[in-house]
Amino acid sequence: MKTLKEQTDAKIAQGRKAKPEFMQGVDDIILKAKAFKPGEKAIKIGENAPDFNLPDANGDIISLSTLLHKGPVVVTFYRGSWCPYCNLQLRALQAKLDEIKALGANLIAISPEVPDGSMTENEISKMDFIVLSDQDAKVASAYGVAWEVPDFLMEHMRVDRKLDLENINNGNKNILPIPATFILSKDGVVIWNYVNVDYRTRSEPDDIIEALKSLS
């Protein structure tokens, strides 16, 4: 089976072939963004993770503190079910979910999408981990991974992708999470993290599993 990096690299290569000008524009924006170090305020290893209460696809409120009573928690922020890189990442995590659970951990995936009927029908919501909605990006902000998306990318999503993010995210039209993953020990302390403003690259599930093993 291909690693997640191999899958995302193939997706990037496909994009460069199909839309070279757009992908070059993304490269330029990511390079500029890295100069301003978005995500540098993300919670660090050794820090306590902020608690949260967020709705799942059915509108039920899920509390981080309640899950931590059961064991470690993997918290991953993704942009939405419309993002092909997010789908690759979450499928890869789904494939490793049995190993994650065998290590006593729960996996939570958080995006700004509204928990309505459409969310209960999308592919991600049917995976076997917890999917939560952070519509106003308050939790992403608390974790230091909220990002105001540049106009160039917003225009691409609106015109080329036909995405109405304001509707999808219930009024939040230009704040998305930086794709990031945090592993929390059962006492809520960050023991591992991955934060990268380049939404085309993601944490490798095998690295998450190795970090969880360190808690055993």
Side-chain angles (χ1 to χ4, degrees):
M1 182 178 178
K2 289 183 178 180
T3 65
L4 180 55
K5 185 178 187 305
E6 288 171 335
Q7 294 177 62
T8 53
D9 282 351
K11 187 71 178 176
I12 292 169
Q14 182 183 22
R16 293 195 192 286
K17 184 176 180 180
K19 295 185 176 181
E21 291 184 2
F22 169 72
M23 292 298 280
Q24 183 58 54
V26 173
D27 290 341
D28 294 342
I29 281 178
I30 295 302
L31 186 61
K32 291 177 182 177
K34 286 182 176 180
F36 288 98
K37 299 181 179 179
E40 69 173 351
K41 294 183 179 179
I43 52 174
K44 306 291 192 297
I45 292 172
E47 294 183 348
N48 290 315
D51 193 14
F52 55 75
N53 298 279
L54 290 174
D56 64 12
N58 297 311
D60 297 324
I61 301 300
I62 305 297
S63 168
L64 173 63
S65 57
T66 298
L67 290 174
L68 287 171
H69 284 309
K70 302 175 184 178
V73 175
V74 180
V75 178
T76 191
F77 290 87
Y78 70 102
R79 303 196 305 158
S81 60
W82 48 267
C83 170
Y85 297 97
C86 297
N87 282 291
L88 286 175
Q89 177 197 17
L90 296 180
R91 287 187 201 116
L93 286 170
Q94 172 71 29
K96 298 286 185 177
L97 191 58
D98 286 346
E99 294 179 61
I100 292 172
K101 288 184 174 179
L103 291 164
N106 272 299
L107 172 63
I108 297 176
I110 300 175
S111 84
E113 287 189 89
V114 179
D116 60 9
S118 62
M119 186 174 172
T120 62
E121 293 300 320
N122 72 42
E123 177 187 3
I124 292 172
S125 70
K126 295 178 181 178
M127 294 182 181
D128 298 321
F129 47 79
I130 300 166
V131 179
L132 302 179
S133 175
D134 179 30
Q135 296 165 47
D136 52 15
K138 285 186 178 179
V139 175
S141 295
Y143 278 67
V145 296
W147 187 42
E148 185 174 351
V149 182
D151 290 342
F152 171 80
L153 292 180
M154 290 301 303
E155 185 71 4
H156 165 70
M157 288 186 280
R158 185 181 67 82
V159 176
D160 296 340
R161 296 289 309 280
K162 309 299 183 187
L163 290 170
D164 182 357
L165 286 185
E166 189 169 6
N167 181 55
I168 292 171
N169 298 338
N170 194 28
N172 170 13
K173 62 181 179 179
N174 66 341
I175 304 295
L176 292 175
I178 296 170
T181 300
F182 303 89
I183 298 178
L184 315 180
S185 64
K186 65 184 302 182
D187 55 359
V189 175
V190 180
I191 64 106
W192 184 93
N193 67 3
Y194 178 95
V195 181
N196 193 331
V197 71
D198 188 344
Y199 63 87
R200 301 167 297 182
T201 63
R202 306 298 172 102
S203 54
E204 198 68 47
D206 283 340
D207 293 338
I208 294 171
I209 289 167
E210 288 303 310
L212 286 171
K213 287 179 179 178
S214 71
L215 291 172
S216 302

